[in-house]
Amino acid sequence: MRIENDLKLGFKDVMIRPKRSTLKSRSQVNLEREFTFLHSNIVWKGIPIMAANMDTVGTFEIAKALGKHNMFTAIHKHYTIEEWRDFASKADEKILRNLAVSTGTGKNDSNKVKQILTEFPSINFICIDVANGYSEHFVNFVQKMRKNHPNKVIIAGNVVTGEMVEELLLAGADIIKVGIGPGSVCTTRVKTGVGYPQLSAIIECADAAHGMGGQIISDGGCKTPGDIAKAFGGSADFVMLGGMLAGHKESGGNLIEKDGKKYKIFYGMSSETAMNKHVGGVAEYRASEGKTVEVPYRGKVEDTIIDILGGIRSTCTYVGASRLKELTKRTTFIRVQEQENQIYS
Ligand code: 5GP
């Protein structure tokens, strides 16, 4: 047993210090970034905020709404080939360029990915997603996928430490998804005691990835646009959102009504709800590591998108960053013991 005494920080432990700025207006801030990738020859340009590959969030409808803003969606892995055909044959190229096909490490999943990418070659991204990216089996799977898809951008995760970021990049991933336990409907930290505060995970994993020419996605734990800004400030290249995009017209999950108020069902992909839906229940040897919640219905996701982008533009003006790319360089975090005033919340 060993204890690391360095303090690890989450979004709630810091604020971004304002700095002198020459920007006159939020409209002067450019949130698009252009990335080239470690293993593939693809160039991607857009706003690097993405919907999570959860069946309540990473839907085709969300992809259409985010794609209009050049934002990204990791489409969940539970659509059938027929549903993909129906969507992709009508989707304009801009939407297809801004999405990833998701897969676990199972054979059926990877066969489906192959079929989708063969039928729709303008899709450039594969998201290989497992709850625990530390297993040797996962690394071998990433290697195999790199061999089978040499020209696609491979996202792999989730991990929270630099050495595993390096291992996955060496195995053939271009972008590493970072986050264990911070998610809004995640119970991993409660059920297992395992996790890593998200801001420190971002800072440490980005350092490892950038040193090798890779990128990272901060996945999970953002509750507000300010948290997204902190993730970018901490060096995340992309930020993935689940809960912040749940509960909308375009999100998945049933719409229910209680006492005249509308709610949408939102659940973790390792929750009992998800396992009942997709794999016929929770296997006896495992525990569910996700919650099921009812979130107030929020209407069109467009309003939420505008709110998020407006918030991040404002962060940039507070620190004098005319482009999102400059935000990390211009970020000084201060450690704090308070956040917002909650008197009216
Ligand atoms: P959020 O933005 O809602 O805070 O976090 C979204 C992320 O939570 C997802 O992208 C995924 O990494 C993670 N997640 C989704 N479902 C589950 C689950 O059932 N269990 C755990 N441990 N994590 C989940």
Side-chain angles (χ1 to χ4, degrees), residues 243-255:
M244 285 185 72
L245 297 177
H248 296 92
K249 178 167 164 271
E250 298 85 349
S251 322
N254 291 342
L255 184 66

Side-chain angles (χ1 to χ4, degrees), residues 51-54 129 131 158 177 179-189 219-223 240-244 266-271 274 288-291:
N53 50 311
M54 303 167 75
D129 183 37
N158 280 24
K177 204 146 74 75
I180 293 189
S184 58
V185 281
C186 165
T187 57
T188 294
R189 291 178 185 177
D219 176 18
C222 289
K223 298 197 281 282
M240 180 174 261
L241 305 176
M244 285 185 72
F266 174 47
Y267 48 84
M269 295 312 291
S270 305
S271 65
S288 103
E289 285 179 32
K291 289 181 214 171

